[in-house]
Amino acid sequence: MSILVVGTVAFDSIETPRGFAERVLGGSASYFAVAASFFSPVKIVGVVGEDFPEDYLEIFSQRGVDLQGLKRAPGETFHWRGRYHEDLNVRDTVELHLNVLTGFSPTLPESYRDAEYVFLGNIDPGMQIEVLSQLRRMRLVACDTMDHWIQGSGEALRKLLRRIEMLIINDSEARLLSGEHNIVRAARSILKMGPKVVLIKRGEYGVLLFSDSSIFATPAYPLEEVFDPTGAGDSFAGGFLGHLARSGDHGQGGLRRAIVYGSVVASFTVEDFGLQRLTRLSVEEIEERYQRFIELTDFHT
Ligand code: AMP
């Protein structure tokens, strides 16, 4: 089953304690699409500027990602500059240039409108709603957001939350959105806003799933060295939804396995700068780490 994703396709300039990268391919839709492509076919909706190089598009093509819905508009590509602290769970946005994203109105190609699995990645909530309104037969809609949109477009975001099944969000953003500091209370409060499932990403501490009837927790895969945490959240979402679309199993067990696949893909993303590790990743490596994850969390033996 294929997955539609809308989000940013960006130039990222990144500084971490391990080094820096200038104007590499990034953006919420980019990480999601490449991560999900290991499990299911992916269609991207987004916009880039005239300055966006062909060899970046090639990264998507090599993973079989459908680019019909990725528009090229006059102007410059979205550019984000971020700096990580020694504690890699903390990052500052140093620059954010929306550029061609301002005023972009996504129109889905006809071949996209029957998508059943949908990820409304981190982008203007107004655009997330526009995409949702053009879809005819969704089975599962998940959504992400971040501080910039919670603070600037809160009303549109609240409207969107009433129409989706799942929210996949960082811990700090869950606090910001709910006004609750305690993460369990924050999740409960977000569940009241509309989504049936809330997934809270906690960086190196893993992921928590909340629904009305259950809570599930997984750690992040323990790594000795993290080069660049950028895109870990979107890669998690890509592996998670990718596996759900592949298996079609939305029950508790299916959700839990999908969370582990998401965590596995995210653990590869952070091993190198930008998308570099994902572009040389294999399905065998994913399966092998999935097995290691089972051993890591098994306490019945
Ligand atoms: P994450 O998975 O949370 O690490 O997401 C990192 C990606 O989000 C980077 O590749 C950025 O290009 C992108 N990004 C940063 N700020 C925004 C924003 N306000 N809206 C959409 N995407 C963003």
Side-chain angles (χ1 to χ4, degrees), residues 8 10 12 26-27 31 78 80 91 96 122 146 148-149 229-234:
T8 46
D12 280 355
Y31 281 102
F78 176 95
W80 174 75
R91 83 174 168 205
L96 181 71
N122 195 2
M146 69 193 282
H148 182 79
W149 307 114
T230 309
D234 299 305

Side-chain angles (χ1 to χ4, degrees), residues 7-12 25-28 31 78-80 84 91 93 96 98 101 121-124 144 146-149 170 173 201 229-235:
T8 46
V9 176
F11 288 135
D12 280 355
L25 174 61
S28 52
Y31 281 102
F78 176 95
H79 180 205
W80 174 75
Y84 290 84
R91 83 174 168 205
T93 290
L96 181 71
L98 298 180
L101 203 61
N122 195 2
I123 202 167
D124 185 325
D144 187 6
M146 69 193 282
D147 49 0
H148 182 79
W149 307 114
N170 282 348
E173 282 142 11
K201 301 173 282 185
T230 309
D234 299 305
S235 306

Side-chain angles (χ1 to χ4, degrees), residues 11 23 48-51 73-79 97-101:
F11 288 135
R23 291 170 78 82
V48 294
E50 289 153 322
D51 52 358
E76 289 176 41
T77 300
F78 176 95
H79 180 205
H97 304 283
L98 298 180
N99 295 335
V100 287
L101 203 61

Side-chain angles (χ1 to χ4, degrees), residues 13 15 31 46 54 77 107 116 130 134 137 147 156 158 196 208 247 265 276 292:
S13 299
E15 208 182 300
Y31 281 102
E54 282 297 319
T77 300
T107 307
E116 295 185 26
E130 271 187 74
Q134 294 173 60
R137 37 186 291 196
D147 49 0
R158 298 272 176 158
K196 301 204 169 41
L208 290 166
S247 69
V265 181
Q276 287 184 67
R292 297 250 207 120

Side-chain angles (χ1 to χ4, degrees), residues 7 12 57 70 185 207 222 247 270:
D12 280 355
L57 293 177
L70 183 65
R185 293 172 73 101
V207 177
S247 69
V270 304

